[in-house]
Amino acid sequence: MGKVTFYGLLLLALAALVFFGMVGCSDNPGNAGTVVGGDSTGVVIPGDTTGTPPDTAVINPPDTSIINPPDTSVINPPDTSIINPPDTAVINPPDTTVINPPDTSVINPPDTAVINPPDTSVINPPDTSVINPPDTTTTPPDTSVIPPPMTPRDSLLNYIDRNWQLYGYASKPTKYAALTFDDGPGSQTGSLLSALESKKVKATFFLIGQNIRGNQSQAKAIHDAGHELANHSDGYSGLGGSTAANTISASLTAATTAIKGITGKDVKLFRAPSVEYGSNLTAVCTQQGLAIIGVSIWSQDYQSGITSSAIANNVLNNAADGGIINCHEPNTAPNTVAAIPAMIDGLRQKGFWICTVSDLAAIKGRTLQAGVRYDTIQ
């Protein structure tokens, strides 16, 4: 409600008060004076004046206190406080703080930092360092592998050239002889192997089949020590003369089977018991692929009562280049082991290289033929 309304009401109230006051004066007997005489021209005598205060006290205060305060306090404050503040505080701040900062900080830095550095550092260095060095270092191995392997003969002679001084020779050996042992293996084979090992000598062992089956460990020890294993029949009985071919064949087959069970290889060499031969034996050896190995240097170690020195001297006195030395294992020649040191030392002093039968054939450039007898290899 405006000020005009307020003042209008106030004027209406005052008019009312005047109006009701005038009426009261004319109608209220208590307030009127006493008229002397019978008409209106008579003298008015003041009457009772005590009735006036009540009229004035009752009318004025109630009208003023009830109308004005309620209208002014209720209408104005509520309208102003509710409409303006909420609209301004909610709309502006949120829109400004959310839109601008995120867009600027996320787009620019990532694009620039990721694209440039990786492309430059990865492409160039790897290509240059990997391609060139490997191609250059591959050439030497190809050149060193080209030369063909040496023949067995060249390999043996090359070994002798490089190692003869280690074997106690005064000068490089120029003669060669094969050392052989018959009749083994036996219970004392180990002592013979030790004597040969001490002198660094490899020999050919002509073994008997039944002895192999009874002394498997000794036969294996001969092979493991690097010696050559050969066939000496399956027993001590002679196979020469007119012995039946099937008897000879069974004996040689049994011995070959026993030897192959130790070495895993085919047997190439054969020596007959008591060095007795015949046409049937030669035919069987040819059929079974066995070269026949004889003797050119006899130690005579199998003779009863012969001394070790006599055994050694028999060998040294008859030694010749390409010769084949015949000895026996301790089971049939008990003094042979003791003769080994003097025998080997003496042969080396004479310039002999001591080896197996197959090595002697290789050094001499010979291929041993089945069914052919070789007392020497020249």
Side-chain angles (χ1 to χ4, degrees):
M1 181 181 284
K3 289 183 180 182
V4 175
T5 303
F6 174 74
Y7 288 118
L9 292 175
L10 183 60
L11 289 176
L12 289 175
L14 291 176
L17 288 176
V18 173
F19 175 78
F20 284 111
M22 293 177 64
V23 173
C25 290
S26 61
D27 293 339
N28 189 352
N31 292 330
T34 303
V35 177
V36 179
D39 52 25
S40 61
T41 62
V43 177
V44 179
I45 300 171
D48 190 2
T49 62
T50 62
T52 301
D55 291 337
T56 302
V58 172
I59 294 171
N60 292 333
D63 292 337
T64 303
S65 61
I66 292 172
I67 294 172
N68 293 333
D71 293 337
T72 302
S73 61
V74 172
I75 294 173
N76 292 333
D79 293 337
T80 302
S81 61
I82 292 175
I83 294 173
N84 293 333
D87 293 339
T88 302
V90 173
I91 294 173
N92 292 333
D95 294 338
T96 301
T97 59
V98 173
I99 294 173
N100 293 334
D103 293 338
T104 302
S105 62
V106 173
I107 293 174
N108 292 333
D111 293 339
T112 303
V114 172
I115 293 175
N116 294 334
D119 292 340
T120 302
S121 62
V122 173
I123 293 175
N124 293 333
D127 292 339
T128 302
S129 62
V130 172
I131 293 175
N132 293 333
D135 292 339
T136 302
T137 57
T138 304
T139 302
D142 292 338
T143 302
S144 62
V145 174
I146 292 175
M150 291 185 290
T151 64
R153 178 178 185 275
D154 291 338
S155 179
L156 287 167
L157 293 176
N158 181 62
Y159 179 83
I160 295 170
D161 287 343
R162 291 183 291 107
N163 296 284
W164 61 268
Q165 291 176 313
L166 298 176
Y167 288 79
Y169 289 93
S171 60
K172 179 181 173 181
T174 58
K175 296 177 287 188
Y176 310 92
L179 179 62
T180 67
F181 294 89
D182 294 350
D183 295 347
S187 60
Q188 300 179 59
T189 296
S191 63
L192 176 58
L193 293 176
S194 296
L196 294 173
E197 178 63 24
S198 67
K199 293 299 180 179
K200 298 181 178 64
V201 171
K202 303 302 179 186
T204 298
F205 285 73
F206 288 94
L207 305 179
I208 292 178
Q210 66 183 23
N211 289 350
I212 295 172
R213 292 189 292 273
N215 298 278
Q216 288 284 336
S217 60
Q218 286 83 358
K220 187 174 184 304
I222 296 171
H223 174 69
D224 292 345
H227 300 287
E228 183 176 36
L229 277 62
N231 192 323
H232 197 41
S233 81
D234 198 53
Y236 291 95
S237 301
L239 302 176
S242 59
T243 305
N246 60 345
T247 300
I248 297 171
S249 179
S251 177
L252 270 58
T253 299
T256 292
T257 300
I259 294 169
K260 191 172 181 179
I262 299 297
T263 66
K265 300 177 181 179
D266 292 331
V267 181
K268 299 297 184 181
L269 307 178
F270 168 76
R271 176 179 284 163
S274 304
V275 196
E276 294 178 353
Y277 298 96
S279 59
N280 288 342
L281 179 57
T282 300
V284 172
C285 287
T286 302
Q287 293 171 0
Q288 296 193 8
L290 298 171
I292 301 170
I293 306 303
V295 177
S296 62
I297 305 170
W298 296 90
S299 68
Q300 304 291 329
D301 59 350
Y302 55 87
Q303 293 186 5
S304 178
I306 191 171
T307 63
S308 60
S309 59
I311 295 172
N313 288 332
N314 287 337
V315 172
L316 296 175
N317 292 334
N318 294 282
D321 182 36
I324 298 174
I325 304 168
N326 171 259
C327 294
H328 294 76
E329 287 204 38
N331 57 326
T332 55
N335 292 324
T336 301
V337 173
I340 294 297
M343 183 192 305
I344 301 302
D345 290 344
L347 288 170
R348 285 174 174 167
Q349 289 173 6
K350 289 178 174 288
F352 284 91
W353 180 263
I354 305 124
C355 58
T356 67
V357 171
S358 292
D359 284 350
L360 177 60
I363 290 171
K364 294 297 184 178
R366 298 288 301 275
T367 300
L368 302 180
Q369 302 295 322
V372 177
R373 177 174 173 175
Y374 299 89
D375 292 331
T376 63
I377 301 176
Q378 302 294 335

